[in-house]
Amino acid sequence: MDSEVVDRLKENLGKARAQFDEWAENHLRSLESSREEFFVKSSGMKAELLEMEKQEKMYVEQGEALAQLMDSERQEIESINAGIEQLRKKQSELPLARDALQNRIVRDRERLKQLDSVTQTNRDASSEHKLKLKQVSNMYQNALGLKFDSTPLGLRFIFTHIDPKNALRECTFTLGINEQDDSYFVSCCEPAVEKMPLLLTQLNANPDQLGIFVSQVRYQFQIVLCSSPLA
């Protein structure tokens, strides 16, 4: 091989090596740029990932808090519904209790009518006899000054003609019936009667003696008004 061919080969080899070196350098620069770009993107993605983890944790905590709140509200709603159901049940029982009390008051009023007449056993008596009975009843009522008034607590007894200084002064008490055991109770007694608990105990022991109980209460009113310096 002559020297001219060798020189041409060397020249071509040098050009090829220069091209390769240039390509390698460019490729290395491209790889370095890609590496830096990847590093930047990787750092950004890592920061985004951390932010997403924080948001996920926050959403989980908010979800748990919301679940607790919903559970609390559910329990409260169940409690309210239970209370409403109890109120409905009590409301449905009120008419029965009211009717029972009204029926008992009606029965007691029938008993108390004995105080307004000398007798009611002879309903087939003549009109003249009935008129006499009515006159006696009115006289008895006017003398005792006794009248009645229905209240939510029971039957209210109103006496007048007791106070020697004021015949129109009213002495009152209300007689009711306990639905649990059908016993009598007294409320709104004016003026107060010290022996009322004893009289009430005697009445509950002998419910048929209601007339005697009313007379005893009237007598106690007389004692209170006559012994009081303010009477």
Side-chain angles (χ1 to χ4, degrees):
M1 183 178 297
D2 56 13
S3 59
E4 184 179 353
V5 175
V6 172
D7 293 337
R8 189 178 299 116
L9 288 173
K10 289 181 178 180
E11 181 181 357
N12 291 335
L13 182 60
K15 290 180 180 180
R17 181 176 294 173
Q19 291 177 354
F20 176 79
D21 291 340
E22 183 180 359
W23 174 83
E25 184 178 355
N26 291 334
H27 188 66
L28 287 174
R29 283 198 298 266
S30 177
L31 289 175
E32 181 65 22
S33 176
S34 297
R35 187 182 69 82
E36 292 178 356
E37 183 179 356
F38 174 77
F39 178 77
V40 172
K41 290 183 177 180
S42 176
S43 299
M45 292 178 64
K46 184 176 182 181
E48 291 179 359
L49 181 60
L50 291 175
E51 182 64 24
M52 291 177 65
E53 289 178 350
K54 290 182 181 179
Q55 292 182 357
E56 181 183 9
K57 182 179 180 181
M58 180 182 67
Y59 291 150
V60 170
E61 292 176 350
Q62 291 179 352
E64 292 177 350
L66 182 60
Q68 292 179 357
L69 179 61
M70 292 179 63
D71 184 65
S72 177
E73 291 181 349
R74 179 185 58 78
Q75 294 178 359
E76 184 176 356
I77 291 173
E78 291 177 353
S79 177
I80 291 174
N81 289 336
I84 292 175
E85 186 64 27
Q86 291 180 356
L87 289 176
R88 287 177 177 173
K89 183 179 179 180
K90 290 182 179 179
Q91 184 179 12
S92 64
E93 294 173 353
L94 283 177
L96 298 177
R98 180 195 60 197
D99 293 343
L101 180 59
Q102 288 179 346
N103 292 335
R104 185 61 183 272
I105 291 175
V106 170
R107 293 196 301 269
D108 290 340
R109 280 180 175 175
E110 292 299 323
R111 296 177 185 176
L112 292 172
K113 286 181 181 179
Q114 297 175 4
L115 298 174
D116 298 331
S117 62
V118 176
T119 180
Q120 294 183 0
T121 57
N122 190 5
R123 296 182 179 179
D124 297 328
S126 64
S127 58
E128 181 180 358
H129 183 59
K130 290 182 179 180
L131 178 60
K132 289 182 179 180
L133 288 177
K134 183 64 175 178
Q135 290 174 347
V136 171
S137 175
N138 291 336
M139 181 180 64
Y140 187 65
Q141 179 172 347
N142 292 333
L144 291 179
L146 175 62
K147 57 183 179 179
F148 312 100
D149 187 19
S150 179
T151 72
L153 294 177
L155 191 63
R156 185 168 179 253
F157 292 72
I158 305 171
F159 289 99
T160 55
H161 304 292
I162 293 180
D163 189 344
K165 296 181 180 180
N166 183 3
L168 297 180
R169 177 175 178 177
E170 293 183 349
C171 298
T172 66
F173 72 93
T174 300
L175 187 65
I177 300 172
N178 193 326
E179 297 180 4
Q180 296 180 352
D181 56 7
D182 288 337
S183 62
Y184 289 103
F185 68 90
V186 169
S187 61
C188 305
C189 183
E190 178 61 34
V193 172
E194 182 179 357
K195 290 187 177 182
M196 183 61 78
L198 175 61
L199 298 178
L200 194 58
T201 299
Q202 294 174 348
L203 174 62
N204 283 318
N206 299 280
D208 294 334
Q209 296 183 0
L210 182 59
I212 296 176
F213 170 78
V214 174
S215 299
Q216 289 175 336
V217 173
R218 186 180 188 280
Y219 177 69
Q220 291 299 319
F221 279 146
Q222 289 177 324
I223 293 176
V224 172
L225 294 181
C226 291
S227 62
S228 174
L230 298 178

